[in-house]
Amino acid sequence: MLCDLCEEMIVEIFSRLPTKSLLRFRSLSKALYTSIGCPDFIRLHTLRSPEKVMIKHKIQKKHFYTLHHQFPYNNNKNNNNNTNTARITPVAHPFSDFRVIGSCNGILCLCKYYGQNLILWNPSTRRKVTVPDPPIWQGNHCSEFEFVFGFDPIIDDYKILRITNGKHYSSYVYTIKTRTWRAIASSPTADSLASSHHCLFKGASHCVAFRYGCCGYRHFIMKFDLASEVFSKIELAEPSWEKSVVSTIKGCLAVMSSKDDSTWIWVMREYGNPASWSVAFKLNACQKNVADRFYTANDDQLILLDHLCEGIVAYNPETHQRSKLLDFIDSSSMVCMTVCIESLELLDMGTIC
């Protein structure tokens, strides 16, 4: 059958298949083995893979569970418990005591606490790449470290940024191709503290940061361009409001902010223009400070990781109705939630775990 199809048609079909199938098809012939492992095909498959929301929770052992971002759940109108059933796929988590730093093109960047033992792991291919520990900065042994993981399209390589929180700044960048750490001159805004959650958007990492001034804490978005390796800041519409997390909504940068009993989600309609901030959603009081991650589905509902109910919640900002997408048993506890896709990245790198 493959002989009857042109190469372009085969690539068109295969680039839309699940990763598990492609890994099996590599054993059919040398031609398929070479084609599926080609960097151009891997990148095309990555671009066409649907997004999923990956939830990490703990049940005696550490596990990952994935939930499709396109809301593939059954909305049962007769359900009196206001609970939706989500189709989930369990993914065994082979590492212990690791936290998720970031996700990019199907690769999860994992790190043990205290800023050492970095691992790049692709759950779809089960391959991992161990990253050497970054240099230890003299005099900064007790500093808090933050990491950024993303892809630099200019040099076609993945990068890991490590920065310190506090007054003594040092920044190091690691690239997969060179497998080395190097210091960079650019540093974050002075006397600022950055959050641990970063959002990749338009080739840059964004996170909420704040500094203390004469009028109290002022929040802003700290931006790190992965290509130029330069830090900058984006002012917020209400810098005095408490900001929790940055995300994206329909191709726009978004931030959740809270003040008193109000929780709003602001959207930057024109990227880079602080004057274009506008309120996209107003959440009710019960949603205040319960979510440290949020994403949007195709029907404009929000996917929230709700710490009060210990579950994944779909929230309708217009009706203020909440429905659980994924609930956990009493013996389990949530750890984090991030967006991830299936991909063939790291296919011929590292080791299988």
Side-chain angles (χ1 to χ4, degrees), residues 125-176:
T125 61
R126 313 297 300 173
R127 301 197 72 89
K128 73 169 183 177
V129 174
T130 301
V131 179
D133 291 339
I136 298 177
W137 302 306
Q138 296 181 358
N140 287 333
H141 297 281
C142 298
S143 299
E144 294 184 5
F145 302 125
E146 294 298 342
F147 291 90
V148 173
F149 172 62
F151 180 75
D152 181 355
I154 303 299
I155 63 173
D156 191 32
D157 199 2
Y158 291 93
K159 291 181 177 180
I160 302 176
L161 167 72
R162 178 173 169 176
I163 58 176
T164 55
N165 263 333
K167 295 182 178 180
H168 304 286
Y169 291 109
S170 295
S171 302
Y172 280 79
V173 167
Y174 177 87
T175 56
I176 292 183

Side-chain angles (χ1 to χ4, degrees), residues 234-247:
I234 299 176
E235 297 292 345
L236 295 166
E238 297 288 347
S240 61
W241 282 38
E242 180 182 349
K243 308 300 184 300
S244 57
V245 64
V246 180
S247 186

